[in-house]
Amino acid sequence: MSAQATVGRRRTRAFTLLIGATVAAVVVVPAAPASAAVPGLVRIAVTSASNSNDFRTVTATCPVGKVLTGTGYELNGATGEAVVDDLRPNGGPATAPTAVNVGAYETEAFAGNWSLTAYAICANPVAGLVRVSATTASDSNDFRSVTATCPVGKVLTGTGHELNGIMGEGVVDDFRPNGGVATAPTSVFVGAYEADAFAGNWSATAYAICANPLAGLVRASAVSPSDSNDFHSVAAACPIGKVLTGAGYELNGIMGEGVVDDFRPNGGPATAPATVTSGAYEEDTFTGNWTNTAYAVCATA
């Protein structure tokens, strides 16, 4: 074999080895980790004074630089004798919410002391975050329902509601984000009953906190046993690897005779929430069976 042919074969082999090494290098380089859908997620809590006043209100505000993705509340010490009729995120159709105002009334005369906690689920700025709303007609019907739907192309991160004109005589017993275990929610349904006969006109408002699509957004749920116990509590947990951006609840079978007095995301000022607890009491004695469902809106951590 000539010296020239030998050199040519060596060059070809060296080039082949170089290409192979390059391909191998591409194969073994790990992919960059997925970005968090809602970075900086935390839960903020603010509690009112504890006293025997008939009404109280409290606002939980996100830390500077963060926005509101979801809401929650807790009635402390009232054991079914008080009702939240205002769970109102601020913001608007072109403005990201940053706080939630919660207002609660006694449903019946209650001599004991009680307090109200507002919970704000907050995150670093989320692309396209806004708050939209929808309100029913104002009349004296016993029941009303309304759905707030996110603008086309947006998804639901959190929820809110408001009963207008009924001042503690109405209860929200259906506060339900749509979606499912493999489907991102895009709306929230609010159903409300008069707790006692009320002759005046009133209305219900549903609030939807919406954002541009978020990685891994789904709705998880959990249901309490069905029985006639006075109190039902249940917790819905996000799937592993996801965090809670917002929540909802639903009372089934009790038709205005139940009060959700604990709608509580877990977490804290330095901890991302991953579960939500819904606790409900019978507002008046109710002999039938009923259940309580907790809904968790969850995105990639």
Side-chain angles (χ1 to χ4, degrees):
M1 181 180 293
S2 68
Q4 184 175 2
T6 302
V7 170
R9 287 188 175 185
R10 286 175 178 169
R11 286 177 176 170
T12 300
R13 184 168 179 271
F15 179 74
T16 301
L17 290 173
L18 178 60
I19 293 297
T22 303
V23 171
V26 171
V27 170
V28 299
V29 172
S35 298
V38 278
L41 199 73
V42 295
R43 188 205 71 179
I44 304 301
V46 179
T47 302
S48 73
S50 179
N51 55 42
S52 60
N53 291 353
D54 175 67
F55 174 75
R56 65 215 55 226
T57 183
V58 64
T59 299
T61 302
C62 292
V64 174
K66 292 187 183 289
V67 293
L68 184 83
T69 67
T71 66
Y73 65 82
E74 188 172 6
L75 296 171
N76 314 288
T79 55
E81 297 301 325
V83 61
V84 166
D85 83 345
D86 192 355
L87 179 64
R88 188 176 70 253
N90 69 351
T95 309
T98 57
V100 57
N101 176 260
V102 184
Y105 288 89
E106 294 179 359
T107 57
E108 310 280 357
F110 181 73
N113 291 340
W114 60 286
S115 65
L116 172 64
T117 299
Y119 294 111
I121 304 174
C122 306
N124 295 351
V126 176
L129 197 73
V130 294
R131 186 211 72 180
V132 298
S133 63
T135 302
T136 67
S138 180
D139 56 40
S140 60
N141 290 349
D142 175 67
F143 175 75
R144 63 215 56 232
S145 65
V146 63
T147 299
T149 301
C150 292
V152 175
K154 293 186 185 289
V155 293
L156 182 86
T157 70
T159 57
H161 64 68
E162 186 173 6
L163 301 183
N164 313 287
I166 197 164
M167 298 175 292
E169 297 299 325
V171 295
V172 172
D173 86 342
D174 194 348
F175 186 39
R176 178 169 29 100
N178 70 347
V181 294
T183 308
T186 56
S187 67
V188 58
F189 174 86
V190 173
Y193 287 88
E194 294 179 359
D196 294 305
F198 182 76
N201 292 341
W202 62 287
S203 64
T205 299
Y207 294 107
I209 302 173
C210 307
N212 294 353
L214 296 176
L217 194 73
V218 295
R219 188 205 71 180
S221 62
V223 184
S224 73
S226 178
D227 55 41
S228 61
N229 290 350
D230 176 66
F231 178 71
H232 290 66
S233 181
V234 64
C238 290
I240 293 172
K242 296 183 187 291
V243 289
L244 186 83
T245 67
Y249 58 78
E250 184 178 6
L251 302 183
N252 307 285
I254 197 164
M255 297 176 293
E257 297 299 327
V259 173
V260 173
D261 88 340
D262 189 357
F263 176 50
R264 175 171 34 94
N266 72 347
T271 309
T275 66
V276 59
T277 297
S278 176
Y281 287 91
E282 294 179 0
E283 193 265 327
D284 290 312
T285 301
F286 183 77
T287 57
N289 292 342
W290 59 287
T291 63
N292 182 8
T293 302
Y295 294 105
V297 179
C298 309
T300 300

